[in-house]
Every structure is written in structure tokens, then in C-alpha cells.
Amino acid sequence: MSNAMSALPFWEGFRVDSCVEREDSSLLISLTESDSAPICGACHQSCSLVHERRRRIVRDRDCFDRKVWLDVPIRRMDCHHCGARVAEHISWIDRHSRITRRLRNWIEVLVQILPVKHVAKLTELHWHTIKTIDYQRLERLHGEFSAQGVCRLVMDEFALHKGHRYATVIMDAETMRVLWVGEDKTRKAIRPFFELLGKEGCGQIEAVAMDMNTAFDLEVRKHCPHAEVVYDLFHVVARFGRDVVDRVRVDQANVLRTQPAERRVIKRARWLLLRNKDKLKAEQAVKLSELLEANAALATVYLLKTELKEIWFAPSVREGFRRWRQWYRLVMESQLKPAIQFARRLKKYLRGILASAIYRMNSSILEGVNNKIKVIKRMAYGFRDSAYFFLKIKHAFPGKPR
Ligand SMILES: [Zn+2]
């Protein structure tokens, strides 16, 4: 091989010895050491005591349309500086790696735009290799816990893998950065977060938004002496939709057993009733108002849903309390059993509901987070690796600057 070719500048410390085309038309490039002394893999000092040589087959980036394999002689050192017996340090391969750093960098770009499965197909590397590269990339970016200056939190749970298990996500309420994600939703499960936050960090927490009916509030009170628990609108309204609006809709459909046409309209109205009014198209809005006009019970629960939201938009706790009392009275007058049950249960959470007048939370952000986690879950599904999934969530919510 000519000198110019053998000294290609891609593999520092090595020269090209030969290049052959293999049966599958990939290229196998054999390297040989250049004249410089090897560098100890442990102490990074140059050292000439070589104890043995082993050849390693390493994949590099493709060259034109060919896959490229390198046959690299790797020296094992008997270092006279640090006494270690380790493989030499090579600037373009990570320790024990079977791909070059150049290829790794390329894969790190690809995984940001394509699913792991596709990158594996494209590069003809095992998906596990690709996943590990992506995992390590994310770990480098988000592995370390930091919660500097955080004083308001949002806690939420979401289902893992077909809903059999749960996980908890904790965010900075102001920047919407994901601070922590952990498996399960028990008090014990979220305790590590407060331990990471530390006594000082916990002392700075002034408000924590969450859903009702969780174990979070007790744990928050235990660790954060100054924190006010706030129940957010998104969860309460979603619950009202499930427990009251939907219940009444089904009851009403059952009442109309002898009128199949009317019954069908109500049975199919689930989405229409649960959806935010401002998200409906013009013809859907017309359909909804026709439905509400025709059915008094549905009209009542729909009104109750709208009025319930207003409590969260009260400018003060005092006004919030006035709206709450008015809403509660409306519920009791409605004589709708699911609504009455709901209101009685909700009463226990009143303090945390009215606290939203002091600690404003943008509930639509929480709703967005919820939806985005579902999308990530679909994409990461199949790995069955929670740690990887959690890093993906952190990566999706880097937060806006303070
Ligand atoms: Zn050394």
C-alpha cells in the first residue's frame, strides 16, 4: 500500500496495512501500529512496556456504500508509571468498545431523529447496541439530579407497561423541567426524591400540585414543612368527567331504553361531553347544545363541570370559597346521585383546591405532559426498560429558562 494511503488520518496512532473486500462487499481494513509509543489506558502516560497484543475487530462508519470493519492490534500494557496491566488508550475507540467513536457519534445523531429499531436496521447493528448508545447519551445529559432554586413542584403518576404498574414524575412547576422519575406511586417510592432534594431544598418548597387520592400529600407534608398542597384543575375535572358526567350519561341512556334513536345519540356523546368546549368544531358545538337542550340531567352535569372549573380561576381564596359554596349548593339541588357523591368527597380537599388562588398552576401544561408521556411510552415500548424510558421523559422536558 502506498504511503499516502497507509497514513489516512482517521485512526490516530495507526497506519493502514491492507484493505480487502469481503464476500458481503464490506471492507476489512487491517491496521498496524505507527511508530509512536502506546499510551497507558489507566494513567494516560506514554509507556513502552507492552505485555501482549490482541487483535480486535471494530466497526467504523461506512465508507461510500460499504460497511467498514477494522482489524486493530491492541497492545496490553505493563505500565511502569502506574503498575496497571490494561489495554492501551486509543483516542478513537472507547474502552472495550467494538465500534469507533466516530460511528458512535453518528449513531447519537441518528437516534435523535429515528426510533432505535430504524437506526438498527439502517446501520445493521443490533438494536441493543443502539439502545445502549442512546441510553448512555441520555444518562450523560440527565443522569445527575439538580433542583437548584426550585420552590414549586408538580407531582403526577402515570401507568407503566399496559397499566399494571405505575410511575411518578416530579417537575419544577415554574419551568416544567422534569426533575425526577421513579417507579411506583407509594410514599416509599417517592421518598428518594426528597432525600436527593435534601433538607435545605425541601425547606424551600412552598407549594406542590398533585391529584387528589394519592399518597403524595402525606409524604410532602413529612419532608417539606412549608409546602402547601394544591389540587390541580386538570385532574379534578378529569375525575368529574369519569365519575359524574359519564355516569349520568350511561344512566340517561338506560332510561331511554324504549327510544333507540335518542338512546344512540346519548351513547355516542361521550367524547362530546368530556372534551373541552373550546376544542370543539362548530358542528360539534351545535350537536352538543342540541343534546343538552334535549336532556336536562346532562345539561345539569355539564353546567356543573363548567362551574367547577371556575373555582380554580377565582382571583382570591375568599372568592374561591364563595364559588365553591355556590357550586356545592347547585350539586345538592341537582339531586343527581353521582354528582352529590363526588361533591361530598371533594369537600375533604377544599383547602388544597382553594390554595390554587395563591399558587397559580397552568393546568394545560400538566395535561400536555400527560399526553407527551403517553407518546414516549408508545415509542419506547418493547424495551421494558424503565430507566431508559425515564431518561426519555426527562429529555422531553428540559424546562424553559428561569
Ligand atoms: Zn499507567
Side-chain angles (χ1 to χ4, degrees):
M1 186 157 287
S2 79
N3 249 358
M5 279 300 282
S6 76
L8 287 173
F10 299 121
W11 306 289
E12 192 190 14
F14 293 82
R15 284 182 288 117
V16 175
D17 194 27
S18 66
C19 175
V20 293
E21 187 178 3
R22 301 208 295 186
E23 247 171 62
D24 62 354
S25 83
S26 65
L27 302 176
L28 178 66
I29 301 174
S30 280
L31 300 180
T32 187
E33 304 132 10
S34 64
D35 301 328
S36 54
I39 292 165
C40 166
C43 70
H44 286 216
Q45 298 192 66
S46 130
C47 169
S48 37
L49 286 176
V50 172
H51 135 79
E52 63 168 337
R53 283 176 169 74
R54 283 181 198 166
R55 301 198 75 93
R56 193 192 293 174
I57 303 293
V58 174
R59 174 81 184 275
D60 207 333
R61 263 189 84 166
D62 294 358
C63 179
F64 303 110
D65 58 346
R66 304 301 180 88
K67 303 232 164 331
V68 175
W69 296 93
L70 305 172
D71 183 354
V72 194
I74 295 177
R75 290 160 284 193
R76 286 188 67 82
M77 319 296 306
D78 187 359
C79 182
H80 64 274
H81 299 291
C82 69
R85 278 198 165 190
V86 288
E88 65 174 304
H89 166 76
I90 301 173
S91 61
W92 45 273
I93 317 181
D94 292 320
R95 261 185 102 175
H96 308 301
S97 181
R98 299 200 166 266
I99 62 170
T100 63
R101 198 165 280 173
R102 184 167 29 242
L103 179 56
R104 166 187 285 271
N105 291 343
W106 175 233
I107 290 166
E108 287 193 358
V109 172
L110 293 177
V111 291
Q112 292 178 59
I113 47 178
L114 292 171
V116 168
K117 198 170 71 183
H118 295 183
V119 178
K121 211 166 180 183
L122 196 66
T123 56
E124 290 180 36
L125 284 162
H126 198 278
W127 72 260
H128 190 267
T129 308
I130 307 295
K131 192 204 106 174
T132 305
I133 291 171
D134 193 28
Y135 182 92
Q136 288 166 347
R137 176 184 75 92
L138 294 168
E139 177 73 21
R140 209 165 59 226
L141 292 168
H142 309 287
E144 218 166 297
F145 178 82
S146 79
Q148 201 73 43
V150 173
C151 52
R152 292 186 191 186
L153 299 172
V154 180
M155 299 183 126
D156 202 6
E157 61 182 49
F158 57 93
L160 272 176
H161 310 310
K162 292 184 176 172
H164 294 305
R165 279 157 45 231
Y166 285 87
T168 302
V169 57
I170 302 179
M171 280 170 285
D172 177 353
E174 283 158 304
T175 64
M176 290 323 267
R177 179 166 67 93
V178 168
L179 304 171
W180 188 86
V181 191
E183 265 183 68
D184 218 340
K185 53 175 186 177
T186 61
R187 286 185 66 174
K188 195 170 161 227
I190 59 170
R191 201 158 299 154
F193 168 77
F194 295 102
E195 284 159 8
L196 283 168
L197 195 57
K199 208 170 174 181
E200 200 184 322
C202 285
Q204 278 166 7
I205 301 301
E206 58 180 30
V208 185
M210 62 180 74
D211 192 3
M212 321 179 289
N213 278 352
T214 66
F216 299 157
D217 54 348
L218 295 171
E219 198 61 18
V220 165
R221 287 193 183 106
K222 183 182 163 194
H223 295 280
C224 308
H226 312 301
E228 184 78 51
V229 169
V230 185
Y231 298 109
D232 75 278
L233 168 73
F234 163 65
H235 282 110
V236 178
V237 171
R239 220 174 257 278
F240 187 82
R242 278 194 309 269
D243 296 356
V244 183
V245 179
D246 220 32
R247 185 71 249 158
V248 171
R249 182 185 62 87
V250 172
D251 289 347
Q252 291 301 304
N254 289 340
V255 169
L256 293 168
R257 208 163 295 150
T258 53
Q259 292 153 270
E262 283 87 346
R263 182 165 190 248
R264 212 172 311 126
V265 171
I266 291 182
K267 286 209 89 164
R268 287 179 183 168
R270 181 169 195 273
W271 184 87
L272 210 54
L273 287 162
L274 297 183
R275 187 97 176 154
N276 265 337
K277 205 171 188 174
D278 54 1
K279 285 183 184 160
L280 294 181
K281 291 187 190 132
E283 72 265 25
Q284 293 165 338
V286 171
K287 244 179 157 178
L288 175 67
S289 50
E290 282 170 4
L291 177 73
L292 298 181
E293 251 167 67
N295 190 300
L298 283 179
T300 306
V301 281
Y302 200 82
L303 172 73
L304 289 176
K305 187 178 114 176
T306 311
E307 293 293 306
L308 178 63
K309 287 183 193 171
E310 288 306 314
I311 301 170
W312 272 266
F313 297 119
S316 65
V317 173
R318 192 189 161 89
E319 171 62 14
F321 186 58
R322 195 193 64 79
R323 290 181 191 184
W324 159 261
R325 280 202 317 210
Q326 189 181 320
W327 181 80
Y328 199 83
R329 198 162 48 234
L330 275 175
V331 171
M332 295 304 146
E333 284 165 5
S334 77
Q335 295 181 333
L336 292 165
K337 214 170 151 201
I340 293 170
Q341 273 172 351
F342 186 89
R344 287 203 175 120
R345 248 184 296 136
L346 197 59
K347 207 174 179 178
K348 285 185 276 183
Y349 298 96
L350 186 57
R351 182 190 169 103
I353 292 169
L354 298 181
S356 62
I358 304 166
Y359 304 102
R360 288 261 160 240
M361 275 284 313
N362 189 340
S363 230
S364 63
I365 295 175
L366 197 58
E367 194 176 355
V369 170
N370 241 276
N371 290 333
K372 209 159 167 185
I373 286 177
K374 278 183 203 152
V375 173
I376 299 167
K377 186 161 76 175
R378 267 204 295 280
M379 280 182 59
Y381 186 70
F383 298 133
R384 308 228 160 238
D385 180 346
S386 302
Y388 182 48
F389 179 31
F390 294 170
L391 280 170
K392 289 249 171 211
I393 294 173
K394 281 190 185 173
H395 192 62
F397 300 98
K400 27 183 215 284
R402 278 180 173 279

